[in-house]
Amino acid sequence: MISFFVLTLLLIMSYLRFWLGRGTENYYTSKPIYISHRGVTKSNPENTIQAFKEAESLGFHGIEVDIIASKDGVLYCSHNHQLDQETDHFGYIDQMLSGELDNINTGYFSHPNNQQKIPRLCTVIENISDDMIINIEIKFSSYFDLSTAFALRRFLKNNKT
């Protein structure tokens, strides 16, 4: 009976430890952290470089970025898989090649006078300061779609800093 209790306690402790954020020991200890969800979208389309730069200029500590991998594994910042929800194009980001996606503007409905390119994750990282926290939200097209997670893993492995 005691061994069952100890084993159960160890499983619970390991489960709780699994969900701890790695490398976040110093966050949330002295003051709140302000993270801009998809950037500041008052004058710029969400998930664009200008929306993220505006968040930084307004004093946000970090940005939340939605990512989806293209058919050839390039990570794009977009909340929706369907292009017709944010752009004047049709189709799905995960079914298109990066060369096609690089020429599509977002903000067709939300900011018709300020449409901007759908940015690659690498371009966003290059355009914000190193002090900004980046909270990456992986978008999935179905329950078993791990293509974006695998693409992010490759990206992080190849871009160690």
Side-chain angles (χ1 to χ4, degrees), residues 60-79:
F60 282 90
H61 301 111
I63 55 173
E64 184 267 346
V65 179
D66 300 309
I67 61 167
I68 303 169
S70 64
K71 189 174 184 177
D72 52 348
V74 176
L75 296 169
Y76 284 88
C77 299
S78 178
H79 180 74

Side-chain angles (χ1 to χ4, degrees), residues 96-108:
M96 296 181 76
L97 297 172
S98 55
E100 298 170 277
L101 291 166
D102 286 339
N103 297 314
I104 298 175
N105 289 330
T106 187
Y108 180 75

Side-chain angles (χ1 to χ4, degrees), residues 51-157:
F52 297 137
K53 281 184 171 185
E54 188 172 348
E56 187 172 4
S57 71
L58 290 174
F60 282 90
H61 301 111
I63 55 173
E64 184 267 346
V65 179
D66 300 309
I67 61 167
I68 303 169
S70 64
K71 189 174 184 177
D72 52 348
V74 176
L75 296 169
Y76 284 88
C77 299
S78 178
H79 180 74
N80 300 305
H81 280 274
Q82 293 175 284
L83 290 170
D84 59 347
Q85 292 181 337
E86 299 173 354
T87 74
D88 63 347
H89 284 75
F90 295 93
Y92 295 87
I93 291 176
D94 60 329
Q95 296 174 5
M96 296 181 76
L97 297 172
S98 55
E100 298 170 277
L101 291 166
D102 286 339
N103 297 314
I104 298 175
N105 289 330
T106 187
Y108 180 75
F109 300 105
S110 63
H111 296 81
N113 296 324
N114 188 19
Q115 296 180 51
Q116 299 173 28
K117 298 290 182 205
I118 302 172
R120 293 180 178 206
L121 178 62
C122 62
T123 308
V124 169
I125 292 171
E126 291 168 0
N127 281 279
I128 60 169
S129 74
D130 292 338
D131 296 334
M132 289 291 283
I133 298 166
I134 303 175
N135 178 28
I136 298 174
E137 181 178 332
I138 299 172
K139 295 297 188 179
F140 300 94
S141 62
S142 67
Y143 290 119
F144 300 106
D145 171 30
L146 298 176
S147 59
T148 301
F150 290 141
L152 178 60
R153 181 175 182 245
R154 274 190 311 276
F155 176 81
L156 294 173
K157 203 173 182 181

Side-chain angles (χ1 to χ4, degrees), residues 20-47:
L20 288 178
R22 289 149 187 94
T24 60
E25 295 82 17
N26 296 325
Y27 295 132
Y28 316 115
T29 56
S30 60
K31 63 181 180 178
I33 294 175
Y34 297 99
I35 297 178
S36 179
H37 185 246
R38 302 181 201 160
V40 175
T41 60
K42 184 175 182 179
S43 57
N44 296 293
E46 66 183 29
N47 279 309

